[in-house]
Amino acid sequence: MSFPWANQYEPQNPLMKWVDDRLPLPRFVYNAIGAGYPVPRNLNYFWNFGVLAGFCLVLQIVTGVVLAMHYAPNALVAFDSTEHIMRDVNWGWMLRYAHANGASAFFVVVYLHIFRGFFYGSYKAPREMVWLMGVVIFLLMMATAFMGYVLPWGQMSFWGAKVITGLFGAIPLVGEPLQIWLLGGFAPDNAALNRFFSLHFLLPFVIAGVVILHIWALHIPGSSNPTGVEVKGESDTIPFHPYYTAKDGFGLGVFLFLYCAMLFFLPNALGHPDNYIPANPMSTPAHIVPEWYFWPFYAILRAFTADFFFIPAKLMGVIAMFGSILVWFFLPWLDTSPVRSGHYRPLFRKFFWFGLIPAMAVLFYCGGAPAEEPFVMMSQLATAYYFLHFLVILPIVASVERPEPLPYSITEAVLGSDDNAELKAAS
Amino acid sequence: MTESTGTADVDGVAAAESGEGVRRRDFINIAAVGAAGVGGVVTLLPLVSQMAPSKDVLAESSTELDVSAIQPGQAVKAVFRKQPVFVRNLTAKEIEEANAVDVGSLRDPQTLAERTKEGHENWLITMGVCTHLGCVPLGAGEGENKGEFGGYFCPCHGSHYDTAARIRKGPAPLNLQVPEYEFTSDTVVKIG
């Protein structure tokens, strides 16, 4: 689907026409990310992060496939083969650092993409499916990143695998057999390493598939925009190419600049030195934390220190951690305000900037801190607010808030007036 | 496009700035896409280079061998770059046979002297890799078929090599390759 005024693909030469009649792939690309996709004219730089996330996925697949040519998923040699990549393989150090920092870059970009969705209400009708697919992608990303971090088979790899699979052990009755089944043993070993490698290779392609659904669902109503006002006419849109290919290209340049700065000058800044020690099942590192992108969720996991009625604390932490993301699946129906953009929602904006964002910042900080006071107490308060925000505050705000007046159209928001609006008012 | 989208008439503005022909926008366009294109191509370098032999493989690329125990008429198989190499102590008769051949009649004309080191003419050191399709020829081991010319015989497609490991009959195009090597002492040879 597209708007009726979208540019139509016209093959430039007989060969392209021949291809178009038989396999209209160029037409498909033209309508997806070319001049055939009309996009609101007022998108700001927060709308760059979808394309950047796509770039990161490609980056991770390319560097990952290359690393898999040199890596050996066997507990006896996995650590050595990682060092082999770092020392012996041509450009191996760069490819591995590109992959490890690429994972961090991917999460930075995706978190900003999600932040954009939260603030501008991108999850609201008719884009619920876009949002749901996005949450699925995020869950798949977390699983992929976790399993990838296990592969070098260093100390953090091993104990990360042990702790995360231990989460499943918290499930009543089936927990322990489930954990043993997941690992193929009683502790992480060769069986676990092999299946993690297999799945780590598979899941990015599953992500790529869900990304196609994500974009497909997006192109039904078309992109949202900072005002949240739907496209009303031709003057509200510009073609994706060249306008947003250029804008995204500039954003990609800035992204690559920062990414390369990390890659070449601070390649280990986001890693843990302990992971350069080979896995040792007999000795746990003193301070064990996940990668930074899991910190907020790790803080929620550790926030539950007392049994909750009949539910043990351990199980409660696991439920809360998974619940903190699963609640996003219900977001389109929790936030019932008909106004999309946070720009026109004064009360929502207060809770967003002074409630949700500080709570997530606290969780992020506490997740990376040791499990001791005052961080446990801070995590508990922030966790409480986090769930309160989604489950209670958002529905109440939506019903009591008096939104600010919306512009008639995107054109009016940009130019100050819209000829169509005047015509409509006159009639 | 510009008028139908209601956006500023950028083409018109640019054309007015620079008059006819090349616009300033064209320069920016070509410079940006050109720089990105060169950057993209350079990025391919590590992706291609990583498939070349790694440093540990290259470090194993020479082999030292003590040949003192090899009697005339005997040969041994050594390993050089994960491939067999034949080290053969030729008898006087075999040297004579090799030198008796009319070099001009050979498919790959070379004398025995060209294929051995001066002062060590009895040591024939060649790769054990048939120049046809890469099989390991017979003839280095005790009791193996040495072919019609008393050197090596490749069982895959029937190539016969003579006592200087030159191709004499069969589909192989070239003589067995002589690797780079040197005698570091009278009894020790360093291949590669």
Side-chain angles (χ1 to χ4, degrees):
Chain A
M1 112 83 234
S2 186
F3 298 113
W5 57 84
N7 292 322
Q8 291 302 308
Y9 177 72
E10 278 160 29
Q12 294 298 309
N13 58 57
L15 175 65
M16 293 308 282
K17 177 157 177 21
W18 186 89
V19 171
D20 187 52
D21 289 342
R22 285 154 184 81
L23 179 71
L25 187 63
R27 175 182 296 272
F28 179 79
V29 173
Y30 180 90
N31 289 334
I33 52 170
Y37 179 43
V39 188
R41 61 192 288 176
N42 60 336
L43 301 191
N44 61 30
Y45 277 108
F46 274 111
W47 266 258
N48 271 18
F49 293 102
V51 164
L52 290 181
F55 175 83
C56 286
L57 179 62
V58 173
L59 175 77
Q60 289 303 83
I61 289 178
V62 169
T63 52
V65 165
V66 163
L67 287 170
M69 294 179 185
H70 303 282
Y71 169 80
N74 182 297
L76 293 174
V77 293
F79 186 88
D80 291 343
S81 73
T82 308
E83 285 306 304
H84 162 72
I85 290 169
M86 295 300 288
R87 294 155 194 254
D88 294 334
V89 174
N90 296 331
W91 297 95
W93 59 272
M94 191 186 98
L95 293 162
R96 178 164 172 266
Y97 281 150
H99 195 68
N101 285 285
S104 283
F106 200 171
F107 275 98
V108 169
V109 163
V110 162
Y111 280 137
L112 288 166
H113 193 57
I114 295 171
F115 168 87
R116 194 282 316 271
F118 277 151
F119 184 77
Y120 291 105
S122 302
Y123 46 82
K124 290 188 182 180
R127 296 184 186 81
E128 300 98 321
M129 212 45 154
V130 186
W131 175 258
L132 298 182
M133 289 296 122
V135 179
V136 170
I137 292 169
F138 180 63
L139 289 170
L140 288 169
M141 269 179 69
M142 293 178 86
T144 310
F146 158 66
M147 286 189 277
Y149 193 60
V150 174
L151 301 184
W153 212 237
Q155 273 290 66
M156 281 294 178
S157 298
F158 181 90
W159 292 99
K162 185 137 185 172
V163 169
I164 299 296
T165 54
L167 298 179
F168 292 92
I171 300 168
L173 300 174
V174 296
E176 205 181 317
L178 178 65
Q179 184 187 352
I180 291 170
W181 178 75
L182 284 172
L183 286 173
F186 302 98
D189 202 353
N190 205 40
L193 181 60
N194 268 281
R195 66 190 61 179
F196 282 7
F197 178 65
S198 171
L199 293 172
H200 183 71
F201 207 115
L202 167 72
L203 287 182
F205 298 96
V206 177
I207 292 176
V210 184
V211 165
I212 289 172
L213 299 181
H214 188 64
I215 296 171
W216 187 9
L218 172 69
H219 285 202
I220 303 295
S223 298
S224 181
N225 70 85
T227 66
V229 176
E230 286 292 318
V231 168
K232 285 202 168 66
E234 197 174 351
S235 69
D236 290 340
T237 67
I238 45 179
F240 188 86
H241 179 75
Y243 294 99
Y244 286 111
T245 43
K247 187 160 183 157
D248 288 334
F250 177 74
L252 182 64
V254 173
F255 165 81
L256 284 174
F257 190 82
L258 297 171
Y259 169 69
C260 289
M262 289 298 294
L263 168 55
F264 292 113
F265 296 101
L266 298 162
N268 285 310
L270 297 172
H272 302 290
D274 278 18
N275 219 28
Y276 285 103
I277 303 169
N280 179 1
M282 294 300 140
S283 154
T284 309
H287 179 45
I288 173 163
V289 284
E291 291 288 86
W292 69 266
Y293 37 79
F294 291 139
W295 284 354
F297 308 102
Y298 195 58
I300 292 175
L301 172 76
R302 295 193 301 187
F304 292 82
T305 49
D307 292 357
F308 188 75
F309 297 108
F310 56 91
I311 307 173
K314 183 181 174 188
L315 176 59
M316 200 58 212
V318 173
I319 292 172
M321 186 181 74
F322 286 108
S324 67
I325 297 168
L326 296 182
V327 72
W328 295 358
F329 279 116
F330 301 95
L331 184 56
W333 298 277
L334 289 168
D335 179 4
T336 51
S337 171
V339 176
R340 263 192 210 98
S341 172
H343 270 311
Y344 303 98
R345 302 186 58 194
L347 196 55
F348 166 86
R349 215 158 52 213
K350 285 197 182 75
F351 280 103
F352 182 81
W353 288 119
F354 301 109
L356 184 63
I357 296 299
M360 296 208 75
V362 167
L363 288 173
F364 176 76
Y365 181 78
C366 292
E372 56 195 38
E373 293 301 349
F375 306 116
V376 175
M377 170 72 94
M378 286 160 68
S379 302
Q380 287 167 339
L381 292 172
T383 302
Y385 180 81
Y386 180 91
F387 283 102
L388 211 61
H389 182 90
F390 284 107
L391 297 172
V392 179
I393 293 173
L394 275 183
I396 292 177
V397 165
S399 62
V400 303
E401 181 181 52
R402 190 184 161 86
E404 289 158 7
L406 292 170
Y408 166 74
S409 68
I410 293 167
T411 305
E412 189 187 281
V414 174
L415 300 179
S417 68
D418 184 338
D419 296 343
N420 288 331
E422 285 156 22
L423 288 173
K424 202 158 195 176
S427 66
Chain B
M1 204 55 252
T2 46
E3 60 180 321
S4 62
T5 56
T7 52
D9 182 6
V10 283
D11 292 329
V13 172
E17 272 177 6
S18 62
E20 294 294 304
V22 179
R23 300 171 303 153
R24 298 212 281 187
R25 183 165 293 251
D26 292 335
F27 174 78
I28 293 174
N29 200 349
I30 291 167
V33 173
V38 170
V41 170
V42 170
T43 312
L44 293 178
L45 178 69
L47 297 177
V48 172
S49 173
Q50 55 88 18
M51 292 186 56
S54 58
K55 296 289 180 284
D56 57 331
V57 171
L58 294 178
E60 286 173 1
S61 61
S62 69
T63 300
E64 279 201 6
L65 194 67
D66 184 351
V67 295
S68 57
I70 305 170
Q71 301 300 317
Q74 279 190 328
V76 298
K77 280 187 207 174
V79 178
F80 170 58
R81 293 185 179 164
K82 304 268 171 184
Q83 298 190 94
V85 60
F86 295 154
V87 179
R88 186 164 179 161
N89 191 348
L90 297 173
T91 60
K93 182 166 168 283
E94 285 171 332
I95 295 173
E96 203 176 297
E97 273 176 27
N99 288 332
V101 177
D102 173 17
V103 172
S105 71
L106 293 171
R107 189 178 297 169
D108 181 11
Q110 267 184 322
T111 63
L112 179 63
E114 285 166 358
R115 294 171 61 74
T116 52
K117 296 280 184 214
E118 205 177 334
H120 301 279
E121 280 88 357
N122 60 322
W123 290 105
L124 178 68
I125 300 178
T126 62
M127 298 303 296
V129 180
C130 180
T131 57
H132 179 220
L133 293 172
C135 295
V136 179
L138 300 173
E142 196 75 44
E144 283 181 359
N145 184 353
K146 293 187 174 186
E148 290 176 20
F149 300 89
Y152 300 106
F153 169 69
C154 182
C156 291
H157 304 94
S159 291
H160 298 258
Y161 297 90
D162 67 12
T163 53
R166 295 173 296 199
I167 180 65
R168 297 292 290 275
K169 184 180 172 190
L174 297 169
N175 302 333
L176 288 186
Q177 190 201 338
V178 177
E180 236 178 73
Y181 69 91
E182 59 177 343
F183 279 88
T184 51
S185 74
D186 276 352
T187 57
V188 176
V189 61
K190 184 181 171 220
I191 304 170

